[in-house]
Amino acid sequence: MPETRPLSYSSLRVYLECPLRWKFLYVDRLPEAPRSYFSFGRTIHAVLEELLRPFLVTDSVPRISAGAAQRRLDEWEAGGRLVEGRPRALTRDEMLATYDRLWVREGFSSAEEEGRYRTLGENLLLRYYDRLVDEPPRPVAIEEHLQASLDGIPVHGYIDRIDLTPSGALEVLDYKTSREMSAKDAFSSDQLAMYQVLVEKNYALPVERLTLYHLRSLTPYASKPRDARAIGQFSEKVSAVADGVREERFEPTPGRVCERCEFRALCPEFREVPADERARLETLVDRFAALRREQGRVEDQLHAAADELHREAERLGVHRIRGHGLTALRRREEAWSFPVEGVRPLLEEHGLVPQASRLDDREIDRLARDPTVDPAVRRAIRSRGGRQVRWFWEVDAAPPDD
Ligand code: SF4
């Protein structure tokens, strides 16, 4: 059932982009279309996993959870040999052979595109290898699956890498194979917020850094761990998605994601009317469009007539003007607006805040009219507000008495 399944960062993102797409993927379990960039990313992640495994330093790292099993290479769809114990570091040639073995072929539009990605990956890995030799990391986990509860909502994720920092804390890293990246991406990344939560709830060491590692440029974009307020905001987002899933709110939400959505043929936003219904519905649409145009024209004329009546009423000092059988009646409507921060201290001082269901113009105006409130306080509330007067016209079907 959707409500019991833990949310991952990617499912969170899918729901926020389009709840209907979430339903297709996670309730109907329709397969996601293979994409060249997904296949490329999976291959690179799988090679890095094998490349970094010998560097693991797990012994001295205290954990809160029992520790989920490390993701095994044979869990990658591409397959891969299992590594028993702690293998020695791969040589360059072994790494390239691993790259060949783990290469994920699906999703490429042509052999030419696949070749371009393949060369890109090879160059990237060779440069990464050099960096690894110069600056060997101290990972305590690679591709680890972690689960946690965030304000009662189960969440989970595969963490690319968790490193031990020189100060004995943890750095959470996520690899990115995308073309472009900036430091801003790391500061605003919900994915890193999710991973921070997962790591903090599974490890006894503090998180010192959250890093998006841009592989094409070998640039680590590091950010500080999110503070309690930022985690609170992220938790609200997770909670909103969990509520949406539980209440089965799966409205299509068209946007940029539609360009690459594989479910357009199933989506009411894009599904075409059957051919045998088209002619009839075309006529209906044309009629509707003509009426909308007419409605706009009539509304313009109504406004112009009301303005003219208003000017005449002002000039003659009257509020009713007779027509042939009907009477136009001039009505007055008053609306108040209040600066909430300007009024709040006054309401607090007189213990009126609990009497308002919320501090908005309507509720404050109600308090200013409430006969149980001290008249001096009501006047003080009014003095902080601003009044707008609106005139409008009604038509009385009954002719007035002579
Ligand atoms: S086509 Fe667009 S609106 Fe429809 S399901 Fe896909 S993402 Fe959502």
Side-chain angles (χ1 to χ4, degrees), residues 18 20-21 24 252-255 257-258 261 263-264 267 269-270:
C18 175
L20 182 58
R21 187 159 191 274
F24 287 143
T253 309
V257 67
C258 299
C261 179
F263 309 123
R264 285 162 70 123
C267 174
E269 289 289 330
F270 290 90

Side-chain angles (χ1 to χ4, degrees), residues 236-309:
E236 280 172 22
K237 211 181 268 190
V238 173
S239 168
V241 169
D243 287 348
V245 169
R246 193 175 49 251
E247 291 159 19
E248 301 190 5
R249 282 190 262 118
F250 298 129
E251 283 302 304
T253 309
R256 282 185 57 194
V257 67
C258 299
E259 290 166 24
R260 57 181 168 79
C261 179
E262 51 281 79
F263 309 123
R264 285 162 70 123
L266 301 171
C267 174
E269 289 289 330
F270 290 90
R271 200 186 302 143
E272 290 292 345
V273 170
D276 57 340
E277 303 271 10
R278 240 173 253 163
R280 189 175 61 81
L281 291 179
E282 268 170 14
T283 311
L284 181 61
V285 170
D286 291 349
R287 186 152 61 86
F288 176 76
L291 285 169
R292 284 294 288 267
R293 279 197 298 276
E294 183 65 9
Q295 180 188 19
R297 203 176 57 76
V298 169
E299 277 174 4
D300 288 348
Q301 289 182 10
L302 260 175
H303 281 127
D307 285 349
E308 197 173 338
L309 276 174

Side-chain angles (χ1 to χ4, degrees), residues 69-86:
Q70 285 277 292
R71 189 175 193 174
R72 303 185 331 174
L73 283 171
D74 61 351
E75 287 184 353
W76 292 98
E77 280 176 33
R81 70 187 159 82
L82 276 175
V83 180
E84 297 294 342
R86 282 188 61 160

